[in-house]
Amino acid sequence: MNGTAVRAILLALVLGCMLVTCTAAGGLYLWARQEGLNPVKAIQLRVSLARNDDALNTPAGSDPTMRRFTVSSGDSASIIAANLLADGLITDSALFVDYVVYHRLDAELEAGTYFLQQTQTIPQIARALTDAASATIPFRTLEGWRLEEIAQVIDSNPLLDFSGADFMAVVGPGGAIPEEFKARAGIPDVLSNGREPSLEGFLYPGTYQLKPGITPEELRDEMLAAFDAHVTQEFYDEAAAQGLTMYQVVTLASIVQKEAVDLDEAPVIASVYLNRFRLPMRLDADPTVQYALGNTRDAGTWWPSITQADYYGLDGLPNQSYSTYLNEGLPPGPIAAPGLPAIRAVIQPAETQYYYFRRGCEDDNRHVFFTLDQQADHANFTCN
Protein backbone atom coordinates (compact mmCIF):
# COMPACT_ATOMS: atom_id res chain seq x y z
CA MET A 1 0.00 0.00 0.00
CA ASN A 2 1.54 3.30 -1.02
CA GLY A 3 1.74 6.39 1.16
CA THR A 4 -1.16 8.11 -0.57
CA ALA A 5 -3.52 5.25 0.24
CA VAL A 6 -2.45 5.17 3.88
CA ARG A 7 -3.03 8.90 4.26
CA ALA A 8 -6.51 8.49 2.71
CA ILE A 9 -7.44 5.72 5.14
CA LEU A 10 -6.22 7.73 8.15
CA LEU A 11 -8.16 10.78 7.01
CA ALA A 12 -11.31 8.70 6.67
CA LEU A 13 -10.88 7.33 10.19
CA VAL A 14 -10.37 10.79 11.64
CA LEU A 15 -13.40 12.16 9.85
CA GLY A 16 -15.47 9.18 11.00
CA CYS A 17 -14.52 9.71 14.61
CA MET A 18 -15.33 13.39 14.35
CA LEU A 19 -18.71 12.54 12.83
CA VAL A 20 -19.53 10.07 15.65
CA THR A 21 -18.43 12.59 18.29
CA CYS A 22 -20.43 15.39 16.75
CA THR A 23 -23.48 13.17 16.40
CA ALA A 24 -23.26 12.12 20.05
CA ALA A 25 -22.74 15.68 21.21
CA GLY A 26 -25.59 16.86 19.06
CA GLY A 27 -27.87 14.22 20.51
CA LEU A 28 -26.83 15.21 24.03
CA TYR A 29 -27.59 18.84 23.31
CA LEU A 30 -30.97 18.00 21.81
CA TRP A 31 -31.75 16.05 24.99
CA ALA A 32 -30.61 18.87 27.27
CA ARG A 33 -31.30 22.05 25.37
CA GLN A 34 -33.37 24.76 27.05
CA GLU A 35 -34.19 28.02 25.35
CA GLY A 36 -32.20 30.90 26.79
CA LEU A 37 -29.36 28.75 28.18
CA ASN A 38 -26.05 28.24 26.47
CA PRO A 39 -25.57 24.63 25.31
CA VAL A 40 -22.84 23.74 27.79
CA LYS A 41 -24.82 25.10 30.77
CA ALA A 42 -27.98 23.33 29.60
CA ILE A 43 -26.13 20.00 29.36
CA GLN A 44 -24.58 20.45 32.82
CA LEU A 45 -27.92 21.26 34.46
CA ARG A 46 -29.83 18.52 32.65
CA VAL A 47 -27.26 15.93 33.67
CA SER A 48 -27.47 17.14 37.28
CA LEU A 49 -31.27 16.90 37.30
CA ALA A 50 -31.27 13.46 35.69
CA ARG A 51 -28.69 12.17 38.16
CA ASN A 52 -30.75 13.49 41.11
CA ASP A 53 -34.22 12.63 39.83
CA ASP A 54 -35.17 10.70 42.96
CA ALA A 55 -34.15 13.55 45.27
CA LEU A 56 -35.90 16.03 42.99
CA ASN A 57 -39.21 14.24 43.33
CA THR A 58 -38.96 13.17 46.98
CA PRO A 59 -40.58 15.56 49.52
CA ALA A 60 -38.49 16.89 52.39
CA GLY A 61 -40.81 15.32 54.96
CA SER A 62 -44.22 13.85 55.72
CA ASP A 63 -45.71 16.72 57.73
CA PRO A 64 -48.66 18.15 55.74
CA THR A 65 -48.94 21.24 57.95
CA MET A 66 -49.00 24.47 55.97
CA ARG A 67 -45.95 26.65 56.67
CA ARG A 68 -45.73 30.35 56.00
CA PHE A 69 -42.83 31.16 53.65
CA THR A 70 -41.88 34.65 52.52
CA VAL A 71 -39.98 35.67 49.41
CA SER A 72 -38.68 39.22 49.77
CA SER A 73 -38.26 41.61 46.87
CA GLY A 74 -34.84 41.08 45.30
CA ASP A 75 -34.30 37.57 46.68
CA SER A 76 -32.25 35.48 44.26
CA ALA A 77 -32.89 31.81 43.55
CA SER A 78 -29.93 30.97 45.79
CA ILE A 79 -31.30 33.00 48.71
CA ILE A 80 -34.75 31.47 48.29
CA ALA A 81 -33.22 27.99 48.17
CA ALA A 82 -31.23 28.63 51.35
CA ASN A 83 -34.37 29.85 53.14
CA LEU A 84 -36.36 26.82 51.96
CA LEU A 85 -33.61 24.56 53.28
CA ALA A 86 -33.53 26.38 56.63
CA ASP A 87 -37.31 25.98 56.94
CA GLY A 88 -37.14 22.25 56.26
CA LEU A 89 -39.11 22.51 53.03
CA ILE A 90 -36.35 21.10 50.79
CA THR A 91 -33.26 18.98 51.47
CA ASP A 92 -30.93 20.21 48.71
CA SER A 93 -30.64 23.92 47.96
CA ALA A 94 -28.26 23.44 44.99
CA LEU A 95 -30.71 21.06 43.37
CA PHE A 96 -33.50 23.61 43.77
CA VAL A 97 -31.35 26.26 42.05
CA ASP A 98 -30.46 23.85 39.24
CA TYR A 99 -34.15 23.10 38.69
CA VAL A 100 -35.36 26.69 38.57
CA VAL A 101 -32.45 27.82 36.38
CA TYR A 102 -32.81 24.95 33.91
CA HIS A 103 -36.59 25.44 33.62
CA ARG A 104 -36.13 29.23 33.40
CA LEU A 105 -38.19 29.80 36.55
CA ASP A 106 -35.50 31.80 38.32
CA ALA A 107 -36.72 35.00 36.69
CA GLU A 108 -40.36 34.18 37.51
CA LEU A 109 -40.00 33.69 41.28
CA GLU A 110 -42.28 36.31 42.86
CA ALA A 111 -41.97 38.20 46.10
CA GLY A 112 -44.87 37.47 48.44
CA THR A 113 -46.21 35.27 51.19
CA TYR A 114 -46.75 31.59 50.43
CA PHE A 115 -48.06 28.58 52.33
CA LEU A 116 -46.01 25.48 51.61
CA GLN A 117 -45.83 21.92 52.91
CA GLN A 118 -43.00 19.49 53.56
CA THR A 119 -44.92 16.99 51.46
CA GLN A 120 -44.37 19.06 48.31
CA THR A 121 -41.52 18.21 45.93
CA ILE A 122 -38.95 20.69 44.61
CA PRO A 123 -40.78 21.08 41.26
CA GLN A 124 -44.09 21.69 43.07
CA ILE A 125 -42.55 24.27 45.41
CA ALA A 126 -40.65 25.99 42.61
CA ARG A 127 -43.75 26.43 40.49
CA ALA A 128 -45.82 27.54 43.50
CA LEU A 129 -43.31 30.34 44.12
CA THR A 130 -44.00 31.86 40.71
CA ASP A 131 -47.56 32.93 41.60
CA ALA A 132 -47.90 34.88 44.83
CA ALA A 133 -51.50 35.78 43.99
CA SER A 134 -52.57 32.14 44.25
CA ALA A 135 -51.20 31.66 47.78
CA THR A 136 -54.10 31.10 50.16
CA ILE A 137 -54.78 29.98 53.72
CA PRO A 138 -57.21 27.05 53.94
CA PHE A 139 -59.90 27.73 56.55
CA ARG A 140 -62.93 25.59 57.36
CA THR A 141 -65.89 25.87 59.71
CA LEU A 142 -68.67 23.31 60.20
CA GLU A 143 -72.44 23.42 60.42
CA GLY A 144 -73.61 23.66 64.01
CA TRP A 145 -70.61 25.57 65.32
CA ARG A 146 -71.10 28.54 67.60
CA LEU A 147 -68.90 31.64 67.43
CA GLU A 148 -66.56 30.41 70.14
CA GLU A 149 -65.79 27.28 68.14
CA ILE A 150 -64.87 29.37 65.11
CA ALA A 151 -62.61 31.42 67.39
CA GLN A 152 -60.91 28.23 68.55
CA VAL A 153 -60.17 27.21 64.95
CA ILE A 154 -58.66 30.64 64.34
CA ASP A 155 -56.41 30.21 67.38
CA SER A 156 -55.28 26.81 66.09
CA ASN A 157 -54.32 28.20 62.67
CA PRO A 158 -50.77 29.64 62.80
CA LEU A 159 -51.14 31.10 59.31
CA LEU A 160 -53.65 33.73 60.42
CA ASP A 161 -52.37 37.05 61.74
CA PHE A 162 -55.11 37.55 64.35
CA SER A 163 -56.52 35.66 67.31
CA GLY A 164 -59.89 34.17 68.05
CA ALA A 165 -60.42 36.97 70.56
CA ASP A 166 -59.75 39.54 67.83
CA PHE A 167 -62.38 37.86 65.66
CA MET A 168 -64.90 37.67 68.52
CA ALA A 169 -64.50 41.41 69.06
CA VAL A 170 -65.69 41.92 65.47
CA VAL A 171 -68.50 39.34 65.24
CA GLY A 172 -69.57 38.87 68.86
CA PRO A 173 -72.06 40.95 70.89
CA GLY A 174 -71.41 44.62 70.29
CA GLY A 175 -69.31 43.98 67.17
CA ALA A 176 -69.85 46.14 64.12
CA ILE A 177 -72.46 44.42 61.96
CA PRO A 178 -72.55 45.80 58.39
CA GLU A 179 -75.71 47.89 58.27
CA GLU A 180 -76.92 46.60 54.91
CA PHE A 181 -76.64 42.98 56.03
CA LYS A 182 -78.20 43.76 59.39
CA ALA A 183 -81.25 45.35 57.79
CA ARG A 184 -81.69 42.62 55.20
CA ALA A 185 -81.48 39.79 57.72
CA GLY A 186 -83.72 41.56 60.24
CA ILE A 187 -81.13 41.53 63.00
CA PRO A 188 -82.53 43.71 65.82
CA ASP A 189 -80.66 46.59 67.42
CA VAL A 190 -81.29 45.08 70.84
CA LEU A 191 -82.11 41.44 71.59
CA SER A 192 -85.11 40.32 73.62
CA ASN A 193 -82.76 39.74 76.57
CA GLY A 194 -81.59 43.35 76.40
CA ARG A 195 -78.16 42.58 74.97
CA GLU A 196 -76.50 43.79 71.82
CA PRO A 197 -76.77 41.43 68.82
CA SER A 198 -73.95 39.38 67.32
CA LEU A 199 -73.44 37.57 64.03
CA GLU A 200 -74.08 34.18 65.64
CA GLY A 201 -75.70 31.95 63.02
CA PHE A 202 -74.88 34.13 60.00
CA LEU A 203 -71.21 33.23 59.43
CA TYR A 204 -71.80 30.66 56.73
CA PRO A 205 -70.12 27.31 57.44
CA GLY A 206 -67.85 26.02 54.72
CA THR A 207 -64.32 25.86 53.32
CA TYR A 208 -62.60 29.13 52.52
CA GLN A 209 -59.32 30.00 50.81
CA LEU A 210 -58.15 33.15 52.56
CA LYS A 211 -55.59 35.62 51.27
CA PRO A 212 -52.41 36.18 53.30
CA GLY A 213 -52.73 39.01 55.82
CA ILE A 214 -56.53 38.86 55.95
CA THR A 215 -58.05 40.87 58.82
CA PRO A 216 -60.88 39.83 61.17
CA GLU A 217 -63.19 42.28 59.40
CA GLU A 218 -62.33 40.81 56.00
CA LEU A 219 -62.96 37.27 57.24
CA ARG A 220 -66.32 38.39 58.63
CA ASP A 221 -67.21 39.93 55.29
CA GLU A 222 -66.19 36.80 53.36
CA MET A 223 -68.39 34.61 55.55
CA LEU A 224 -71.33 37.00 55.27
CA ALA A 225 -70.86 37.11 51.49
CA ALA A 226 -71.00 33.30 51.47
CA PHE A 227 -74.27 33.47 53.43
CA ASP A 228 -75.68 35.88 50.84
CA ALA A 229 -74.48 33.67 47.99
CA HIS A 230 -76.32 30.62 49.37
CA VAL A 231 -79.35 32.22 51.02
CA THR A 232 -80.82 33.93 47.98
CA GLN A 233 -83.76 36.33 47.66
CA GLU A 234 -86.02 33.33 47.09
CA PHE A 235 -85.36 32.24 50.67
CA TYR A 236 -86.26 35.69 51.97
CA ASP A 237 -89.45 35.70 49.93
CA GLU A 238 -90.52 32.26 51.20
CA ALA A 239 -89.73 33.27 54.78
CA ALA A 240 -91.82 36.42 54.44
CA ALA A 241 -94.69 34.34 53.02
CA GLN A 242 -94.65 32.43 56.33
CA GLY A 243 -94.54 35.63 58.35
CA LEU A 244 -90.94 35.07 59.39
CA THR A 245 -87.89 37.31 59.20
CA MET A 246 -84.58 35.77 58.16
CA TYR A 247 -83.40 36.35 61.72
CA GLN A 248 -86.21 34.13 63.00
CA VAL A 249 -85.52 31.55 60.29
CA VAL A 250 -81.82 31.33 61.12
CA THR A 251 -82.59 31.21 64.85
CA LEU A 252 -84.91 28.25 64.40
CA ALA A 253 -82.65 26.64 61.78
CA SER A 254 -79.77 26.71 64.25
CA ILE A 255 -81.85 24.57 66.62
CA VAL A 256 -82.86 22.21 63.81
CA GLN A 257 -79.17 21.92 62.80
CA LYS A 258 -78.25 20.70 66.28
CA GLU A 259 -81.21 18.30 66.53
CA ALA A 260 -81.12 16.69 63.07
CA VAL A 261 -78.17 14.31 62.95
CA ASP A 262 -79.67 12.91 59.75
CA LEU A 263 -80.58 15.97 57.73
CA ASP A 264 -83.37 14.18 55.86
CA GLU A 265 -85.28 14.52 59.16
CA ALA A 266 -84.70 18.28 59.26
CA PRO A 267 -88.01 19.29 57.57
CA VAL A 268 -89.98 17.12 60.03
CA ILE A 269 -88.09 18.45 63.05
CA ALA A 270 -88.61 21.99 61.73
CA SER A 271 -92.35 21.28 61.48
CA VAL A 272 -92.43 20.27 65.16
CA TYR A 273 -90.86 23.54 66.29
CA LEU A 274 -92.96 25.63 63.93
CA ASN A 275 -96.13 23.90 65.17
CA ARG A 276 -95.15 24.67 68.76
CA PHE A 277 -94.13 28.24 67.93
CA ARG A 278 -97.45 28.99 66.28
CA LEU A 279 -99.71 27.32 68.89
CA PRO A 280 -98.01 28.91 70.93
CA MET A 281 -96.19 26.60 73.33
CA ARG A 282 -92.65 26.48 74.63
CA LEU A 283 -90.15 24.99 72.19
CA ASP A 284 -88.42 22.87 74.86
CA ALA A 285 -85.36 22.44 72.64
CA ASP A 286 -82.43 20.70 74.29
CA PRO A 287 -79.75 22.48 72.20
CA THR A 288 -80.81 25.81 73.68
CA VAL A 289 -80.02 24.43 77.14
CA GLN A 290 -76.63 23.26 75.88
CA TYR A 291 -76.00 26.72 74.45
CA ALA A 292 -76.87 28.30 77.79
CA LEU A 293 -74.48 25.97 79.62
CA GLY A 294 -71.69 26.44 77.09
CA ASN A 295 -68.35 25.23 78.45
CA THR A 296 -69.17 26.02 82.08
CA ARG A 297 -69.53 22.30 82.85
CA ASP A 298 -66.79 20.90 80.66
CA ALA A 299 -64.07 23.18 79.34
CA GLY A 300 -63.44 20.70 76.53
CA THR A 301 -66.80 21.18 74.78
CA TRP A 302 -69.29 23.90 74.02
CA TRP A 303 -72.12 21.34 73.72
CA PRO A 304 -72.19 19.37 76.98
CA SER A 305 -74.43 16.43 77.78
CA ILE A 306 -77.43 17.58 79.82
CA THR A 307 -79.75 16.06 82.39
CA GLN A 308 -83.39 16.63 83.32
CA ALA A 309 -82.20 18.89 86.14
CA ASP A 310 -80.57 21.23 83.61
CA TYR A 311 -83.91 22.09 81.98
CA TYR A 312 -84.86 24.34 84.90
CA GLY A 313 -81.54 24.72 86.70
CA LEU A 314 -79.61 27.40 84.83
CA ASP A 315 -79.88 30.17 87.40
CA GLY A 316 -77.02 32.63 87.23
CA LEU A 317 -75.72 31.62 83.80
CA PRO A 318 -75.22 34.56 81.42
CA ASN A 319 -77.08 32.81 78.59
CA GLN A 320 -79.98 31.36 80.56
CA SER A 321 -82.35 33.54 78.49
CA TYR A 322 -81.60 31.20 75.56
CA SER A 323 -83.18 28.20 77.29
CA THR A 324 -86.51 27.45 75.61
CA TYR A 325 -87.53 25.41 78.66
CA LEU A 326 -87.36 28.54 80.84
CA ASN A 327 -88.56 31.06 78.26
CA GLU A 328 -91.38 31.16 75.74
CA GLY A 329 -90.95 31.62 72.02
CA LEU A 330 -87.70 31.64 70.10
CA PRO A 331 -84.43 32.25 71.94
CA PRO A 332 -83.01 35.78 71.64
CA GLY A 333 -81.02 34.72 68.58
CA PRO A 334 -79.34 31.81 66.79
CA ILE A 335 -77.34 29.35 68.86
CA ALA A 336 -75.05 28.13 66.06
CA ALA A 337 -74.40 28.42 62.33
CA PRO A 338 -76.93 26.34 60.38
CA GLY A 339 -76.15 24.91 56.98
CA LEU A 340 -78.35 25.43 53.96
CA PRO A 341 -80.39 22.21 54.44
CA ALA A 342 -81.44 23.32 57.94
CA ILE A 343 -82.35 26.80 56.71
CA ARG A 344 -84.34 25.32 53.83
CA ALA A 345 -86.09 22.94 56.25
CA VAL A 346 -87.47 25.90 58.22
CA ILE A 347 -88.57 27.73 55.09
CA GLN A 348 -89.99 24.58 53.47
CA PRO A 349 -90.99 22.38 56.45
CA ALA A 350 -92.85 19.12 56.19
CA GLU A 351 -96.59 19.41 56.75
CA THR A 352 -97.23 17.44 59.93
CA GLN A 353 -99.32 17.42 63.09
CA TYR A 354 -96.30 16.53 65.20
CA TYR A 355 -95.54 18.46 68.38
CA TYR A 356 -93.07 16.11 70.08
CA PHE A 357 -90.17 13.87 69.19
CA ARG A 358 -87.71 11.61 70.96
CA ARG A 359 -84.54 9.86 69.96
CA GLY A 360 -85.47 6.41 68.65
CA CYS A 361 -84.30 3.13 70.08
CA GLU A 362 -82.12 2.13 67.15
CA ASP A 363 -78.51 3.22 67.13
CA ASP A 364 -79.03 5.35 64.02
CA ASN A 365 -79.62 8.87 65.48
CA ARG A 366 -83.15 8.97 64.09
CA HIS A 367 -86.27 10.16 65.94
CA VAL A 368 -89.81 9.05 66.75
CA PHE A 369 -92.48 11.75 66.34
CA PHE A 370 -95.76 12.30 68.21
CA THR A 371 -98.95 14.36 67.76
CA LEU A 372 -100.66 16.39 70.50
CA ASP A 373 -102.98 13.43 71.15
CA GLN A 374 -99.91 11.27 71.71
CA GLN A 375 -98.41 13.47 74.42
CA ALA A 376 -98.67 10.67 76.99
CA ASP A 377 -96.94 8.26 74.59
CA HIS A 378 -94.17 10.80 74.16
CA ALA A 379 -93.80 11.32 77.92
CA ASN A 380 -93.72 7.56 78.62
CA PHE A 381 -91.58 6.57 75.64
CA THR A 382 -88.81 4.17 76.61
CA CYS A 383 -86.56 1.73 74.84
CA ASN A 384 -86.70 -1.84 76.07
Side-chain angles (χ1 to χ4, degrees):
M1 184 179 296
N2 60 36
T4 302
V6 170
R7 284 193 297 274
I9 292 172
L10 290 174
L11 180 59
L13 288 172
V14 169
L15 291 173
C17 289
M18 290 176 63
L19 180 61
V20 170
T21 301
C22 289
T23 301
L28 183 61
Y29 173 59
L30 289 173
W31 170 71
R33 72 177 180 177
Q34 185 65 283
E35 187 175 350
L37 289 178
N38 72 63
V40 174
K41 184 67 173 178
I43 291 171
Q44 290 174 338
L45 292 174
R46 188 68 182 87
V47 169
S48 171
L49 295 178
R51 183 180 298 152
N52 294 284
D53 185 68
D54 285 346
L56 192 68
N57 293 289
T58 300
S62 58
D63 183 2
T65 303
M66 288 286 187
R67 302 182 182 199
R68 183 189 296 269
F69 183 79
T70 301
V71 176
S72 299
S73 180
D75 280 357
S76 66
S78 297
I79 291 174
I80 293 170
N83 292 336
L84 288 168
L85 181 66
D87 286 356
L89 290 164
I90 62 173
T91 57
D92 189 331
S93 58
L95 186 58
F96 177 88
V97 173
D98 285 352
Y99 181 85
V100 298
V101 171
Y102 178 75
H103 287 281
R104 312 304 292 141
L105 298 176
D106 50 328
E108 297 182 29
L109 298 172
E110 288 188 359
T113 300
Y114 298 86
F115 303 101
L116 305 174
Q117 299 166 289
Q118 271 195 340
T119 53
Q120 292 176 290
T121 63
I122 283 178
Q124 290 172 330
I125 289 175
R127 295 191 182 280
L129 295 180
T130 65
D131 186 7
S134 68
T136 57
I137 304 170
F139 180 75
R140 185 187 182 199
T141 65
L142 298 181
E143 295 88 348
W145 279 7
R146 55 192 284 168
L147 291 178
E148 292 88 351
E149 291 174 285
I150 299 176
Q152 286 177 333
V153 170
I154 290 171
D155 282 333
S156 70
N157 192 329
L159 305 180
L160 293 171
D161 295 330
F162 56 88
S163 68
D166 295 331
F167 188 66
M168 286 295 290
V170 171
V171 302
I177 301 175
E179 286 300 325
E180 183 179 349
F181 186 90
K182 182 179 179 182
R184 183 168 60 254
I187 300 174
D189 292 328
V190 180
L191 302 184
S192 60
N193 59 3
R195 298 182 188 172
E196 292 182 279
S198 73
L199 283 170
E200 186 80 84
F202 291 95
L203 301 180
Y204 195 80
T207 299
Y208 296 83
Q209 298 298 328
L210 308 178
K211 67 179 183 179
I214 190 171
T215 66
E217 291 82 4
E218 289 171 333
L219 177 55
R220 173 202 65 195
D221 292 345
E222 280 206 33
M223 299 183 82
L224 293 181
F227 182 92
D228 282 338
H230 289 86
V231 183
T232 62
Q233 185 60 45
E234 180 182 355
F235 284 81
Y236 284 85
D237 293 342
E238 292 191 46
Q242 290 196 54
L244 298 172
T245 67
M246 187 53 65
Y247 190 73
Q248 291 174 312
V249 167
V250 172
T251 298
L252 189 49
S254 69
I255 298 173
V256 173
Q257 180 71 56
K258 299 303 296 184
E259 291 279 22
V261 179
D262 288 333
L263 284 174
D264 65 317
E265 285 191 330
V268 182
I269 292 175
S271 76
V272 171
Y273 286 124
L274 284 167
N275 288 342
R276 292 180 184 177
F277 178 63
R278 288 167 175 154
L279 192 56
M281 63 183 287
R282 288 188 178 177
L283 298 187
D284 288 354
D286 288 5
T288 63
V289 178
Q290 292 176 294
Y291 184 80
L293 282 167
N295 68 346
T296 60
R297 172 171 295 163
D298 179 356
T301 179
W302 287 95
W303 301 99
S305 298
I306 58 176
T307 66
Q308 290 282 338
D310 293 321
Y311 292 154
Y312 304 101
L314 301 177
D315 289 345
L317 290 179
N319 285 329
Q320 90 172 53
S321 59
Y322 279 81
S323 171
T324 52
Y325 282 87
L326 296 173
N327 305 281
E328 295 182 356
L330 295 173
I335 62 171
L340 197 62
I343 295 173
R344 183 180 288 112
V346 174
I347 293 174
Q348 301 171 352
E351 294 185 12
T352 77
Q353 296 299 313
Y354 296 137
Y355 285 80
Y356 308 98
F357 63 94
R358 298 287 291 270
R359 181 68 61 86
C361 296
E362 302 298 326
D363 189 22
D364 58 4
N365 296 315
R366 298 187 70 81
H367 296 86
V368 180
F369 297 87
F370 304 86
T371 66
L372 274 178
D373 294 338
Q374 296 172 315
Q375 181 178 6
D377 295 333
H378 165 257
N380 298 319
F381 181 83
T382 59
C383 295
N384 295 327

